[in-house]
Amino acid sequence: MSTAPSLSNQPWEAVAQELGMEVVESRLMCKEEKRVRSILATQKKLYKSEKRKCERAESAKKDAEAEAAQLRATMHNMEQAHEELKKTHVSLDTLEEIVACGICWDICWRPALLRCGHCFCEGCLRNHFQTTYERAFMEYSVLDTVYTCPTCRQAHIVTRAPETCFILKGLAEKVGLLRGREAPPPPVVEEGRGLWWPFF
């Protein structure tokens, strides 16, 4: 029965050379393994980065499609509204009458809405309240003045500050734009005072 030759039976130079080759090969294999792992890690990072880019691009595409669909729906609604407007044949003069102030009969640029439903220019209504306030103070010497709607008169008593009618304001701005006019400056009020001081 033959036995494998032991290292003690081999020349020490051969043994050293063989062991050295194994060490070199082992180191080379470790370096190669590290290089492969580094390449794989880099590729993995690139894959994740490209995946995120694709996801962002897909999300942006969906957002763009949704926005385009919304724009198409808006355009469709505008076209329908335009067709309905053509059917009604509402003239610009009629619209101007609708947005006219009940005091000055000009475009109600800043409509102030009373509880009775009537709208007036902020400046016109403020002047109306100021006249009422001064007349009551001069004639009766009372500060507890009763303010009434210029249209309803005694039918509706004003007990709180008017509110801005934004629907009529937007319509008035469009009528003014069609007429080539710009809104006048707002009423001048004292610094630190509200528009409807001292009435409310």
Side-chain angles (χ1 to χ4, degrees), residues 4 36 72 120 124 135-136 151 155 161 173 188-189:
V36 172
R72 286 194 296 269
F120 308 91
C124 292
R135 183 184 298 115
T151 300
E173 290 175 352
V188 179
V189 296

Side-chain angles (χ1 to χ4, degrees), residues 54-186:
C54 291
E55 290 175 351
R56 287 195 294 267
E58 187 67 22
S59 177
K61 180 181 177 182
K62 290 181 179 179
D63 292 341
E65 290 176 351
E67 186 176 355
Q70 186 176 2
L71 287 174
R72 286 194 296 269
T74 302
M75 290 295 296
H76 179 68
N77 293 336
M78 290 178 64
E79 290 174 357
Q80 285 186 333
H82 181 66
E83 292 298 326
E84 292 295 328
L85 184 61
K86 288 196 299 184
K87 291 178 182 178
T88 56
H89 297 289
V90 177
S91 65
L92 185 57
D93 292 336
T94 303
L95 290 176
E96 198 166 9
E97 291 177 2
I98 294 174
V99 299
C101 169
I103 297 177
C104 66
W105 295 105
D106 194 4
I107 296 177
C108 198
W109 297 99
R110 295 177 179 83
L113 176 66
L114 299 178
R115 285 196 300 171
C116 58
H118 293 116
C119 282
F120 308 91
C121 298
E122 288 180 349
C124 292
L125 193 58
R126 179 176 171 78
N127 292 337
H128 170 71
F129 290 159
Q130 182 68 32
T131 302
T132 304
Y133 177 84
E134 292 175 355
R135 183 184 298 115
F137 184 78
M138 294 296 294
E139 294 180 0
Y140 308 106
S141 298
V142 293
L143 296 178
D144 190 15
T145 309
V146 176
Y147 301 99
T148 60
C149 169
T151 300
C152 299
R153 296 299 179 181
Q154 299 301 324
H156 182 82
I157 299 177
V158 182
T159 57
R160 64 182 183 185
E163 299 178 357
T164 301
C165 182
F166 292 100
I167 296 177
L168 188 61
K169 184 175 183 291
L171 185 58
E173 290 175 352
K174 288 180 174 59
V175 172
L177 182 64
L178 293 173
R179 288 295 191 190
R181 298 179 55 188
E182 295 183 359

